[in-house]
């Protein structure tokens, strides 16, 4: 039987792969989109708590150097400047999907993430893309000019192959290291990969103190070296989570401490001095309880072990309390890993890719897009914007 032939074969029907397939199909290319999962866009479905934070109005080339991590922070600029959050949002509006800005420029569906998947699938159909799901990809070769893809549904040849198989996070949803291995097989470098946007864990002693706070959420500033995030902090049974922690996890490395300010909008020392002057008979724990969640204030009060009325505290003693509240140094021992990480930091080395087209510099016709590339965004819609923008860029040229 003759091999099936397509102009473009896209490996991975996630956010990036669907976008490339749509764009290439619109240009009249014959496109096959392959995935081993039974449904396309599984990560879109679970994203944003089921409402998909599909982009961020600030996820543009102007913020990219700060808000996208990778060995070359400039790499993402080209694709991000040619496909903006407004471009994607225009498609969302065209499909009549209701959305809102939640906070910090984050755009979410009003109803369900499934609407984004339905939109992309209908665009795929309109663009004439063939989609094959539940299809195992056994290998990709390039014996001559064409690529040969060995799949559970047979052998396929293609002029171009786009690798959009994503990162390693959430393996139980089908994430694999396929894209990294394929890159290496074709001679591309792959930078060190690690889980990112992930809850941090603590040694048993520290965990014992934190555990009773499981479920408590409070606004905080969390810092690591010069990087800081002002967002919510969530105590869990396993350690710390919440947007502020997920964000800082992309910067944190083993052995480092993080610093937590639990009163981000106040000067803790001033607050305590004011309490000493106005409510001198209160215990420190009670004073903290007016500014912080009660269980958190109680834990801090107990760990400070400073009994007595605040009216009797010297400035030195108040400073100890203020430091505990505003300069709380914590040393995570690890993270929850790929099991819960939202993304993978690192990936296909951008030195080996063309920033404009995402094509491998030394392998004409081979492209890498989305999370498999060493480009990782902040929490809040940045990673989908990279998936759409890199998918769009490759889709214009494959
Ligand atoms: P993606 O992972 O989406 O797709 C890869 C595809 O390749 C999958 O369909 C997979 O089945 C397939 N595949 C993998 N290996 C294969 C193989 N060997 N053979 C065949 N197919 C294979 N981002 C954001 O901006 N806003 C948000 O709200 C969220 N929320 C969020 C929540 C959770 C729980 C997670 C885990 C992640 C997020 N993210 C996010 C991150 C976002 O989901 C992620 O960055 C993008 O989905 C990446 O898109 P890609 O298309 O590159 O990979």
């Amino acid at each position: 039987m003759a091999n099936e032939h397509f102009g473009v074969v896209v490996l991975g029907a996630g956010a990036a792969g669907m976008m490339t397939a749509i764009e290439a199909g619109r240009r009249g290319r014959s496109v096959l989109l392959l995935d081993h999962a039974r449904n396309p866009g599984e990560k879109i479905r679970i994203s944003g708590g089921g409402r998909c934070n599909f982009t961020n109005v600030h996820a543009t080339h102007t913020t990219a150097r700060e808000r996208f991590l990778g060995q070359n922070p400039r790499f993402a600029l080209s694709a991000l400047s040619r496909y903006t959050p407004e471009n994607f949002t225009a498609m969302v509006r065209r499909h009549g999907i209701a959305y809102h800005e939640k906070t910090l420029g984050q755009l979410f569906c009003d109803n369900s993430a499934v609407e984004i998947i339905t939109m992309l699938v209908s665009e795929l159909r309109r663009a004439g893309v063939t989609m094959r799901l539940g299809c195992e990809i056994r290998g990709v070769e390039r014996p001559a000019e064409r690529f040969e893809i060995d799949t559970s549904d047979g052998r396929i040849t293609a002029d171009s192959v786009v690798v959009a198989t994503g990162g390693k996070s959430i393996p139980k949803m089908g994430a694999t290291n396929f894209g990294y291995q394929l890159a290496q097989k074709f001679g591309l470098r792959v930078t060190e990969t690690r889980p990112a946007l992930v809850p941090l864990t603590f040694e048993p002693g520290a965990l014992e103190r934190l555990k009773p706070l499981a479920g408590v959420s409070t606004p905080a500033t969390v810092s690591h070296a010069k990087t800081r995030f002002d967002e919510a902090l969530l105590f869990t049974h396993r350690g710390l989570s919440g947007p502020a922690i997920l964000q800082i996890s992309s910067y944190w490395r083993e052995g480092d401490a993080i610093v937590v300010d639990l009163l981000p909008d106040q000067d803790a020392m001033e607050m305590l001095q004011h309490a000493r002057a106005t409510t001198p008979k209160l215990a420190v724990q009670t004073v903290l309880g007016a500014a912080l969640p009660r269980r958190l204030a109680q834990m801090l009060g107990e760990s400070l072990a400073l009994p007595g009325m605040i009216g009797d505290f010297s400035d030195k003693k108040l400073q100890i309390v203020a430091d505990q509240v505003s300069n709380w140094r914590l040393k995570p021992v690890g993270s929850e890993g790929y099991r819960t990480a939202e993304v993978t930091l690192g990936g296909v080395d951008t030195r080996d890719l063309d920033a404009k087209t995402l094509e491998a510099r030394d392998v004409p016709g081979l492209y890498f897009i989305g999370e498999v590339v060493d480009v990782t965004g902040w929490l809040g819609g940045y990673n989908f914007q990279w998936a759409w923008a890199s998918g769009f860029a490759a889709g214009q040229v494959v």
Side-chain angles (χ1 to χ4, degrees):
M1 197 178 85
N3 290 337
E4 264 187 297
H5 181 77
F6 286 87
V8 184
V9 171
V10 182
L11 309 180
M18 286 196 273
M19 184 55 108
T20 279
I22 292 165
E23 289 301 318
R26 277 184 187 155
R27 288 175 40 241
R29 303 284 281 141
S30 65
V31 185
L32 173 66
L33 177 59
L34 290 180
D35 204 299
H36 62 176
R38 288 190 187 285
N39 298 299
E42 279 293 85
K43 281 208 183 141
I44 299 176
R45 187 176 57 78
I46 59 160
S47 67
R51 290 220 160 86
C52 187
N53 178 192
F54 55 80
T55 191
N56 189 301
V57 297
H58 305 301
T60 64
H61 65 288
T62 55
T63 64
R65 263 174 280 185
E66 182 199 13
R67 300 181 184 189
F68 287 88
L69 290 76
Q71 282 198 339
N72 176 5
R74 294 179 55 82
F75 182 81
L77 299 185
S78 173
L80 290 169
S81 67
R82 283 174 296 132
Y83 192 82
T84 64
E86 175 49 30
N87 290 133
F88 191 78
T89 312
M91 175 160 46
V92 170
R93 279 196 298 271
R94 246 187 355 262
H95 283 257
I97 299 173
Y99 66 93
H100 61 280
E101 180 176 334
K102 196 171 168 192
T103 174
L104 303 169
Q106 301 166 2
L107 302 188
F108 282 77
C109 296
D110 284 0
N111 300 310
S112 166
V114 173
E115 292 177 316
I116 299 291
I117 302 171
T118 307
M119 168 185 87
L120 294 168
V121 169
S122 93
E123 292 286 342
L124 285 167
R125 279 206 196 102
R126 195 177 302 169
V129 172
T130 307
M131 180 155 58
R132 214 163 275 167
L133 300 168
C135 176
E136 193 190 324
I137 302 157
R138 294 179 178 148
V140 179
E141 306 283 341
R142 193 169 183 254
E145 287 297 288
R146 286 178 165 180
F147 290 90
E148 284 185 15
I149 303 122
D150 184 17
T151 79
S152 51
D153 290 1
R155 197 166 268 271
I156 299 153
T157 57
D159 301 324
S160 304
V161 167
V162 183
V163 184
T165 45
K168 299 182 191 173
S169 56
I170 326 269
K172 76 166 193 250
M173 289 191 71
T176 66
N177 57 7
F178 179 88
Y180 308 115
Q181 285 177 343
L182 192 69
Q184 280 169 331
K185 178 180 161 172
F186 279 93
L188 282 82
R189 290 166 284 188
V190 174
T191 66
E192 188 200 343
T193 51
R194 56 183 284 126
L197 300 183
V198 63
L200 297 174
T201 55
F202 293 86
E203 49 89 12
L207 195 57
E208 274 317 301
R209 280 193 294 132
L210 298 177
K211 257 188 189 169
L213 300 175
V216 171
S217 173
T218 189
T221 300
V222 179
S223 334
H224 172 268
K226 288 192 178 134
T227 307
R228 44 183 282 168
F229 291 97
D230 292 298
E231 288 193 57
L233 171 85
L234 174 69
F235 294 86
T236 75
H237 288 288
R238 284 188 284 267
L240 292 179
S241 186
I245 292 293
L246 299 185
Q247 294 277 38
I248 216 74
S249 73
S250 300
Y251 296 83
W252 175 82
R253 294 293 178 273
E254 284 72 11
D256 294 351
I258 57 170
V259 178
V260 177
D261 180 354
L262 293 165
L263 283 181
D265 301 325
Q266 287 185 59
D267 182 317
M269 187 62 179
E270 265 176 30
M271 184 275 282
L272 291 165
Q273 284 170 331
H274 180 73
R276 180 174 62 186
T278 54
T279 52
K281 295 210 166 112
L282 294 184
V284 152
Q285 208 165 299
T286 316
V287 171
L288 293 179
L292 296 168
R294 192 182 45 77
R295 270 195 282 160
L296 177 57
Q298 194 178 336
M299 186 279 278
L300 291 172
E302 281 163 11
S303 64
L304 280 163
L306 292 173
M309 299 183 296
I310 195 162
D312 298 332
F313 277 37
S314 62
D315 270 352
K316 202 171 155 202
K317 246 182 170 180
L318 282 192
Q319 193 60 54
I320 295 171
V321 182
D323 281 348
Q324 176 76 16
V325 172
S326 295
N327 207 8
W328 188 17
R329 281 177 67 81
L330 287 153
K331 222 166 178 191
V333 287
S335 80
E336 288 187 11
Y338 289 116
R339 191 178 58 79
T340 60
E342 285 202 8
V343 286
T344 302
L345 201 62
V348 177
D349 195 320
T350 51
R351 286 176 297 177
D352 294 338
L353 299 176
D354 182 296
K356 194 158 176 239
T357 61
L358 285 303
E359 188 176 21
R361 288 191 187 282
D362 294 332
V363 191
L366 183 63
Y367 297 77
F368 290 84
I369 57 169
E371 198 180 317
V372 74
V373 179
D374 176 24
V375 173
T376 305
W378 276 8
L379 184 81
Y382 290 85
N383 286 297
F384 277 138
Q385 187 57 33
W386 167 245
W388 315 132
S390 58
F392 179 85
Q396 303 310 304
V397 291
V398 279

